[in-house]
Amino acid sequence: MSEHPLPDPADTIAEMLHQPELESDAVRSESRRGVLIALPSWIYLTLFFAIPLLIVVVYSFATRSSTGLTRLTGWNIESYKRLFDPLVAEIAFRSIVLAVATTLICLAVSYPFAYYIATRTPKWRNLLIVLVLIPFWSNFLVRTYAWRIILGSDGPLAQITEWMGFEPVRLLFTNSAVLIGLVYGYLPFMVLPLYAALERMDWSLVEAARDLYADGWTAFRKVTWPLSRPGVIAGSILVFIPSLGAYVTPALLGGAKTTLLGDYIVSQFLAARNQPFGSALSVAVMVVMLGAVVVYFRSGAKNL
Amino acid sequence: MTDSVKLTGVTKRFGDVLAVDDLHLNVADGEFFSLLGPSGCGKTTTLRMIAGFEFPTSGSLTIRGQEMALNPPNERPVNTVFQSYALFPHMTIEENVGFGLRMKKVAPADIAQRVKRTLDMVQLSHRASASPSQLSGGQQQRVALARALVNEPQVLLLDEPLGALDLKLRQAMQLELKDLQQRVGITFIYVTHDQDEALTMSDRIGVMSDGKLLQVGGPQDIYEHPRSRFVADFIGEINLMPAVAVDRDSVKLLDGQVLMAPHDAPAGRSVTVAIRPERFTLFRPDAEIPSGRSSIAGKVIRRIYHGDVFLYDVDTAEGLLEVKEENRPNVEVFEIDSQVVVSWSPSAATVIED
Ligand SMILES: Nc1ncnc2c1ncn2[C@@H]1O[C@H](COP(=O)(O)OP(=O)(O)O)[C@@H](O)[C@H]1O
Ligand SMILES: [Mg+2]
């Protein structure tokens, strides 16, 4: 045996492998740290989102006892079958129309406004954005009650229209009131993403379009609008979804005759004490919303 | 020659800022004209007024004899190549290049053909369906050029179009652009702060400073006969020597030496004599200076080897002079601290009346 034996090939290989080993250790500890940082949000989401969601899904397959309790036996899809009731379809249709109308009005109002803000000097921009956010400083419920006063039978709107010589306009407890309330409530959710998109706009692209013989309107259609689409999509989703499931606004401003999805679900849980059906409704609304979001994002991504 | 673009007394203010100050400029048809000046001197603003993105505060601007100062950009027979290229990110290269023709409602078949021809010209036909973000900086630059040229404008405006490219590519593009301009025969108005670029490419150069057009002339004229300290200084290195006008043909340096140098300053007026470093020649103190040349004695205090040239700083009675000597076998190289004579021919000196 020599004093310096040839190195064992297995050792050499182990040594060669050691370097990547070190590196993957580093990667692993890095990702461990990442998990640790995200831990609070994971706990929060699990406790307050995933578990309740699971409960809703489970309940939607359960049975309602004659006393209104939910029995977690005899799993069935009866609640889902009820979704095809004409009454449900009518309520869903009305809610969708309202949510679409809210989204379109918000878009029509917000786009010029966001455009205006985005084209100011930075100092003015910040001020105007703060103005958009000011309503959030007071409670949503309080602000909705304020609309009850404004739209009420002796409220400012009725008085002003009367003073102007018209029939006094009394909107409270109508669909118009709900629409006004929803547009008012969700407007900032449309303005902010639109502003974010327009603020990032490279205006030299618009100049390039003008330079290439586009008039102002055409330059907007061909350049500004398509490039602000991500903002339009984000804003529309942010307005459409809460509008579709809105409860507080219709409850405070809407009439008793016109039930919307939000009311209807709440009434299933409370008045009707039919938790399985309420859960099935909730799940259905969520699935539809999720589907809408996916379709919308897909179409947006393709056009960008 | 007809005037392609004519600016008469054009002034542009932004609030308190006087960006362009009483500018008079005629650019001839088919000319490669450069606006040269340091950053902030008003080049871009001038170009933007010609394009129609800004409107003059006062003055007149005609394109092909037609008053256009207040017309929107889409009504002007002018196209722009933007510094940032400003390619539409949501359109393919082809769609970008065809945009102007579509706006002009050219027949689709013609559009396809002209787009193809123009993309061929800038050697990018193979990327026609790529999106701008997939192209390199140099390629994007060529697309921007194609997008403007395909419209066959009467004037092409270019705002530092090569600014974002690295040196080698920039130099290649300079020649390519100049070549292209001669082939298509379109008037180019080219904005740059790079004097080399302006000298290389232009038929004429307008030097701007602080919103004013200081001097307009051919590259050689601007380089060799600057009419102001600013122009002399901005375009390359130059030696400035204080002097006093003697008569219309000569000036007197501080050391009493009288130089032959034609000028318009009245006798007794203090002037500046400007001489480029490469117009100086160094001699040994005992050498015989050819007759008719002016000269001044000094001492080499610094020598910088620059590959193709040696740069000397020579301390003289007229102050520190910079001398540029070619690095060639028959040109003598001087050591630091050696006594030398700086010599120049009368034609090398330009008199600046500041
Ligand atoms: N839109 C504007 N608003 C205010 N000042 C401007 C505007 N555009 C240019 N300026 C000012 O006008 C001057 C000239 O600018 P510019 O034409 O861009 O110069 P250059 O292109 O030569 O660098 C600068 O002082 C600049 O700050
Ligand atoms: Mg500029």
Side-chain angles (χ1 to χ4, degrees):
Chain A
M1 279 297 250
S2 77
E3 259 184 283
H4 300 286
L6 284 173
D8 183 355
D11 283 352
T12 320
I13 292 169
E15 205 170 342
M16 275 161 60
L17 288 176
H18 196 63
Q19 227 70 15
E21 193 63 24
L22 256 182
E23 194 183 326
S24 70
D25 273 359
V27 169
R28 229 174 284 147
S29 82
E30 183 82 8
S31 79
R32 262 202 298 277
R33 228 168 319 172
V35 169
L36 219 60
I37 290 168
L39 197 59
S41 35
W42 276 113
I43 293 173
Y44 182 90
L45 282 174
T46 310
L47 277 182
F48 299 108
F49 180 71
I51 293 178
L53 187 65
L54 197 67
I55 293 175
V56 170
V57 173
V58 168
Y59 269 42
S60 68
F61 292 103
T63 327
R64 174 184 185 271
S65 75
S66 49
T67 53
L69 292 175
T70 305
R71 269 206 225 106
L72 294 177
T73 53
W75 305 109
N76 62 77
I77 55 164
E78 288 310 308
S79 302
Y80 285 97
K81 285 188 182 152
R82 254 190 86 185
L83 291 177
F84 298 95
D85 243 20
L87 174 67
V88 177
E90 191 195 315
I91 292 170
F93 180 73
R94 195 184 298 136
S95 296
I96 289 171
V97 167
L98 194 67
V100 168
T102 306
T103 308
L104 290 181
I105 295 174
C106 278
L107 184 60
V109 174
S110 304
Y111 202 100
F113 186 53
Y115 186 97
Y116 177 80
I117 301 176
T119 49
R120 295 310 98 185
T121 59
K123 193 185 77 184
W124 278 103
R125 272 183 227 168
N126 293 337
L127 185 75
L128 289 165
I129 284 298
V130 168
L131 286 181
V132 172
L133 295 176
I134 278 182
F136 288 126
W137 296 356
S138 64
N139 183 283
F140 183 65
L141 212 56
V142 173
R143 285 181 284 133
T144 309
Y145 268 105
W147 275 106
R148 274 176 87 125
I149 297 170
I150 295 171
L151 303 175
S153 52
D154 284 322
L157 182 68
Q159 286 176 5
I160 288 170
T161 46
E162 188 165 26
W163 176 79
M164 284 165 69
F166 300 108
E167 191 72 5
V169 174
R170 298 196 172 91
L171 290 179
L172 194 58
F173 306 133
T174 65
N175 280 339
S176 306
V178 178
L179 191 58
I180 290 172
L182 288 175
V183 168
Y184 163 78
Y186 298 131
L187 202 62
F189 296 122
M190 185 65 92
V191 173
L192 293 178
L194 283 178
Y195 166 74
L198 287 167
E199 198 254 348
R200 278 200 311 268
M201 260 299 285
D202 177 0
W203 296 105
S204 71
L205 295 175
V206 178
E207 287 187 343
R210 297 299 313 271
D211 189 62
L212 295 164
Y213 317 109
D215 58 35
W217 171 240
T218 312
F220 174 79
R221 264 190 323 119
K222 299 279 181 189
V223 176
T224 315
W225 174 258
L227 290 178
S228 60
R229 267 186 67 124
V232 173
I233 291 171
S236 300
I237 289 172
L238 288 179
V239 172
F240 180 79
I241 287 178
S243 304
L244 189 60
Y247 172 64
V248 172
T249 311
L252 292 183
L253 302 178
K257 305 179 289 289
T258 52
T259 312
L260 296 168
L261 275 174
D263 298 324
Y264 193 54
I265 292 172
V266 169
S267 75
Q268 291 310 313
F269 277 99
L270 301 181
R273 292 175 69 83
N274 190 343
Q275 293 181 349
F277 183 51
S279 300
L281 274 171
S282 305
V283 171
V285 169
M286 271 187 286
V287 167
V288 168
M289 283 175 179
L290 205 64
V293 170
V294 169
V295 168
Y296 216 178
F297 267 120
R298 282 266 171 82
S299 76
K302 235 177 285 154
N303 286 321
L304 282 173
Chain B
M1 249 205 291
T2 51
D3 283 326
S4 194
V5 175
K6 181 171 179 177
L7 281 75
T8 315
V10 168
T11 295
K12 177 67 184 179
R13 283 175 194 283
F14 295 104
D16 294 340
V17 180
L18 186 57
V20 174
D21 185 6
D22 190 30
L23 199 83
H24 293 262
L25 175 66
N26 294 351
V27 179
D29 215 9
E31 188 175 28
F32 196 124
F33 189 92
S34 291
L35 276 175
L36 175 66
S39 171
C41 71
K43 308 179 296 290
T44 296
T45 305
T46 306
L47 205 70
R48 288 171 60 80
M49 286 192 287
I50 301 172
F53 303 134
E54 306 282 0
F55 299 126
T57 310
S58 61
S60 139
L61 188 163
T62 62
I63 300 171
R64 280 281 174 105
Q66 229 182 323
E67 180 62 44
M68 290 249 162
L70 300 178
N71 292 51
N74 47 316
E75 290 174 9
R76 303 185 188 207
V78 164
N79 287 115
T80 305
V81 176
F82 292 81
Q83 178 164 19
S84 57
Y85 313 142
L87 300 180
F88 305 124
H90 56 305
M91 298 180 197
T92 63
I93 298 311
E94 216 165 16
E95 288 167 346
N96 264 281
V97 175
F99 189 91
L101 297 177
R102 287 203 301 279
M103 290 300 113
K104 280 208 274 195
K105 307 256 185 307
V106 174
D110 287 352
I111 295 181
Q113 195 197 341
R114 280 168 72 176
V115 167
K116 171 141 193 345
R117 198 175 348 122
T118 313
L119 280 177
D120 277 342
M121 187 170 69
V122 296
Q123 290 145 33
L124 278 173
S125 324
H126 60 295
R127 303 309 309 268
S129 51
S131 86
S133 60
Q134 294 170 314
L135 267 54
S136 72
Q139 290 175 326
Q140 291 185 22
Q141 210 282 321
R142 296 217 292 271
V143 175
L145 202 62
R147 187 177 68 176
L149 283 175
V150 75
N151 305 295
E152 292 164 12
Q154 307 200 333
V155 183
L156 190 68
L157 307 175
L158 305 98
D159 191 355
E160 315 216 10
L162 307 182
L165 306 180
D166 57 45
L167 184 65
K168 270 271 183 288
L169 188 55
R170 196 158 72 223
Q171 287 171 338
M173 284 299 295
Q174 285 173 10
L175 299 179
E176 215 174 294
L177 263 182
K178 174 76 187 160
D179 218 47
L180 188 78
Q181 190 265 341
Q182 281 169 345
R183 256 184 306 154
V184 296
I186 293 174
T187 310
F188 274 35
I189 301 183
Y190 190 99
V191 159
T192 180
H193 66 267
D194 181 336
Q195 41 123 351
D196 279 334
E197 203 164 281
L199 291 174
T200 309
M201 305 170 79
S202 318
D203 294 322
R204 282 194 309 153
I205 299 171
V207 183
M208 286 187 76
S209 164
D210 261 342
K212 290 187 188 64
L213 193 59
L214 297 183
Q215 187 174 350
V216 177
Q220 210 167 345
D221 186 36
I222 294 271
Y223 185 77
E224 288 177 16
H225 303 289
R227 281 207 301 271
S228 58
R229 265 167 183 275
F230 181 87
V231 174
D233 226 21
F234 188 74
I235 308 205
E237 298 297 318
I238 200 153
N239 294 288
L240 299 172
M241 295 185 274
V244 175
V246 176
D247 55 36
R248 289 289 144 122
D249 290 318
S250 57
V251 297
K252 190 162 73 184
L253 293 183
L254 290 185
D255 69 351
Q257 181 175 187
V258 173
L259 300 182
M260 299 303 289
H263 61 86
D264 296 329
R269 168 79 63 87
S270 43
V271 294
T272 304
V273 175
I275 303 176
R276 298 282 176 195
E278 68 272 17
R279 303 299 294 267
F280 282 140
T281 308
L282 292 184
F283 289 94
R284 291 163 178 277
D286 54 0
E288 193 174 320
I289 310 288
S291 68
R293 290 180 73 94
S294 305
S295 62
I296 187 167
K299 188 173 88 171
V300 174
I301 61 162
R302 201 153 80 122
R303 188 183 75 191
I304 297 169
Y305 173 67
H306 232 284
D308 55 339
V309 293
F310 282 99
L311 293 179
Y312 296 96
D313 281 351
V314 181
D315 191 22
T316 71
E318 300 299 332
L320 212 56
L321 298 181
E322 187 175 278
V323 179
K324 192 188 269 186
E325 289 271 43
E326 280 184 75
N327 181 11
R328 283 214 303 231
N330 57 344
V331 177
E332 185 167 0
V333 176
F334 293 90
E335 299 303 323
I336 290 177
D337 284 339
S338 53
Q339 297 293 327
V340 292
V341 172
V342 180
S343 146
W344 66 94
S345 73
S347 69
T350 296
V351 175
I352 294 170
E353 311 158 32
D354 266 350

